[in-house]
């Protein structure tokens, strides 16, 4: 998964130095759309949906975690169950439960419950997504958390042991369908195939047949980005119609002080062949998914940042950019509108700057608005009984770039940030409450996947 502190997907070590690279955008919805707001939760993970249910991981006032199920149509809380991280690394952020549809209007929710017995630090539990009724359990020593992969559940288990492996489970029974050694994360799946990022010294993308576990193709990440890739800095992926677009962040080895290879690239989902590559660029935050609306900054061999460029996810072509000479000095955060046609530099409490991304021309600030992080100095979550250093997913707020102040309108965050699942866009506010709107937006990934 990428780095979650600013989302994007998971990371083995949080690369906080890259967070200053980006920002946001805005999208309005009318009152005609079904909407809801649930303030009973303090969502700290992203939200997933399936079978008419939305699932998130919430932090209770006492610092304990719980998996929460919400009716997608009304926003009403259906049930909750205790949850734990059981060996997940802080830079990866708090995981959401997995939700897998098993029939018309039916789904199974899978999360990790606290369970201390012998060598086990938790247990994977499958529940009816609507009622919370337990269907099966599986003890785990350590894990990065369950993920939906097509019609199944995928799980890296024993991640802290030499016997680490990936298991593919039947969501209805918890039965192991097939498995392979090592640690990997699901980056894409459909009804018949799944693509993993194998988290190894030399990371590799691997595709498998979901029913049989037969390997279909593999593509070493270093073929796209060069030798010396290290996923400890974080990574994120997003899909277009036929391709998978990935980003691997730079990581500075604390012993050698050497920076790993990094950048963005695309592979064909059909055979894993490389479509395009842009090594030595960093993804900015907040911004769209690599597969939807990637925005990047080039970095030269001396570690100096260039300007900003929005890329076409399908071709890697630059759609718009501003050169380094136009980037203001320090003290700004990026801000984007709904369609990301402009790039804004937000200065809190004072006038910022804005540029047309297509032409590079500067813009009058009077009417410029942009979405950026509500909080630029987030505090780690005060989780009880868990490792320190976990952060919640970020919330976005709309700002007036002429004044550096928040707008007073109750706008809905842009689609490039929220993404859309079956027409529903769901986002977290500053207090952890969840909001939902069904504006019939086509299914697409958000900043967090």
């Amino acid at each position: 998964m990428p780095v979650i502190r600013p989302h994007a997907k998971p990371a083995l070590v949080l690369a906080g130095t890259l967070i200053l690279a980006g920002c946001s955008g805005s999208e309005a919805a009318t009152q005609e759309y079904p909407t809801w707001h649930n303030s009973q939760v303090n969502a700290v993970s992203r939200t997933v949906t399936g079978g008419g249910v939305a699932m998130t991981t919430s932090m209770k006032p006492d610092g304990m975690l719980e998996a929460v199920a919400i009716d997608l149509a009304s926003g009403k809380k259906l049930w909750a169950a205790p949850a734990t991280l059981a060996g997940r690394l802080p830079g990866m952020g708090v995981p959401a439960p997995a939700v897998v549809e098993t029939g018309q209007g039916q789904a199974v929710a899978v999360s990790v419950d606290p369970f201390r017995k012998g060598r086990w630090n938790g247990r994977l539990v499958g529940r009816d997504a609507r009622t919370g009724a337990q269907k099966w359990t599986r003890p785990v020593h350590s894990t990065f958390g369950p993920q939906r992969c097509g019609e199944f559940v995928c799980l890296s288990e024993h991640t802290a042991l030499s016997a680490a492996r990936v298991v593919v489970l039947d969501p209805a029974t918890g039965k192991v369908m097939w498995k392979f050694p090592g640690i990997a994360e699901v980056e894409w799946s459909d009804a018949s195939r799944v693509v993993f990022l194998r988290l190894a010294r030399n990371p590799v993308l691997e595709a498998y047949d979901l029913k049989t576990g037969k390997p279909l193709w593999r593509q070493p990440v270093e073929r796209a980005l060069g030798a010396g890739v290290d996923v400890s800095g974080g990574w994120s992926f997003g899909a277009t119609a036929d391709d998978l677009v990935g980003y691997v962040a730079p990581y500075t080895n604390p012993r050698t002080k050497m920076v790993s290879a990094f950048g963005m690239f695309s592979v064909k989902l059909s055979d894993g062949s490389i479509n395009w590559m842009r090594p030595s660029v960093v993804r900015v935050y907040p911004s769209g998914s690599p597969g939807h609306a990637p925005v990047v900054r080039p970095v030269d061999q001396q570690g100096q940042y260039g300007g900003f460029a929005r890329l076409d996810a399908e071709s890697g072509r630059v759609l718009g950019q501003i050169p380094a000479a136009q980037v203001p000095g320090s003290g700004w955060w990026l801000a984007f509108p709904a369609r990301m046609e402009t790039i804004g530099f937000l200065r809190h409490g004072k006038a910022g700057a804005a540029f047309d991304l297509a032409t590079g021309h500067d813009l009058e600030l009077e009417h410029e608005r942009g979405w950026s992080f509500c909080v630029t100095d987030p505090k780690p979550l005060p989780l009880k009984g868990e490792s320190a250093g976990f952060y919640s997913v970020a919330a976005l707020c709309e700002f007036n770039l002429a004044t550096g102040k928040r707008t007073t309108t109750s706008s809905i965050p842009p689609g490039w940030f929220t993404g859309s699942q079956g027409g529903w866009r769901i986002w977290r506010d500053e207090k952890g409450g969840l909001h939902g709107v069904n504006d019939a937006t086509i299914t697409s990934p958000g900043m967090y996947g």
Side-chain angles (χ1 to χ4, degrees), residues 209-406:
D209 181 279
L210 262 175
K211 298 292 194 300
T212 65
K214 177 184 176 182
L216 300 176
W217 55 259
R218 68 192 312 270
Q219 182 62 264
V221 175
E222 290 182 335
R223 285 185 184 167
L225 301 181
V229 170
D230 189 329
V231 294
S232 297
W235 67 93
S236 54
F237 284 81
T240 66
D242 303 306
D243 307 319
L244 183 66
V245 183
Y247 168 67
V248 177
Y251 173 69
T252 301
N253 186 302
R255 182 178 58 83
T256 65
K257 308 303 180 185
M258 297 293 290
V259 179
S260 65
F262 60 96
M264 194 167 286
F265 65 102
S266 167
V267 300
K268 293 181 180 179
L269 286 168
S270 58
D271 60 12
S273 59
I274 297 173
N275 295 306
W276 57 263
M277 58 191 80
R278 285 198 173 268
S280 301
V281 298
V282 295
R283 180 188 176 197
V284 304
Y285 295 96
S287 65
S289 159
H292 179 60
V295 179
V296 299
R297 295 190 78 178
V299 183
D300 65 22
Q301 293 184 341
Q302 286 70 47
Q304 298 298 310
Y305 286 94
F308 290 83
R310 178 175 171 181
L311 305 180
D312 176 65
E314 293 189 356
S315 67
R317 182 173 59 89
V318 173
L319 296 178
Q321 63 183 320
I322 64 168
Q326 289 181 269
V327 177
S330 60
W332 49 261
W333 290 80
L334 286 181
F336 292 103
R339 293 177 180 82
M340 301 181 76
E341 70 272 24
T342 64
I343 182 171
F345 294 88
L346 168 69
R347 295 180 185 272
H348 290 283
K350 60 184 71 172
F355 300 88
D356 184 297
L357 257 179
T359 65
H361 296 160
D362 61 329
L363 302 172
E364 293 292 335
L365 291 178
E366 182 180 359
H367 302 295
E368 291 299 324
R369 304 288 187 270
W371 290 83
S372 191
F373 291 120
C374 300
V375 176
T376 56
D377 58 345
K379 303 297 186 294
L381 294 170
L383 298 178
K384 186 175 181 180
E386 304 286 0
S387 300
F390 283 90
Y391 292 81
S392 66
V393 296
L396 287 195
C397 294
E398 189 180 43
F399 291 84
N400 182 327
L401 296 180
T403 63
K405 296 180 180 180
R406 294 187 190 181

Side-chain angles (χ1 to χ4, degrees), residues 95-125:
V99 182
V100 183
E101 294 189 9
T102 55
Q104 185 68 31
Q106 298 180 326
V108 172
V110 184
S111 57
V112 182
D113 283 25
F115 181 70
R116 296 279 185 176
K117 186 175 182 181
R119 65 192 295 241
W120 310 117
N121 298 308
R123 64 179 177 184
L124 196 69
V125 182

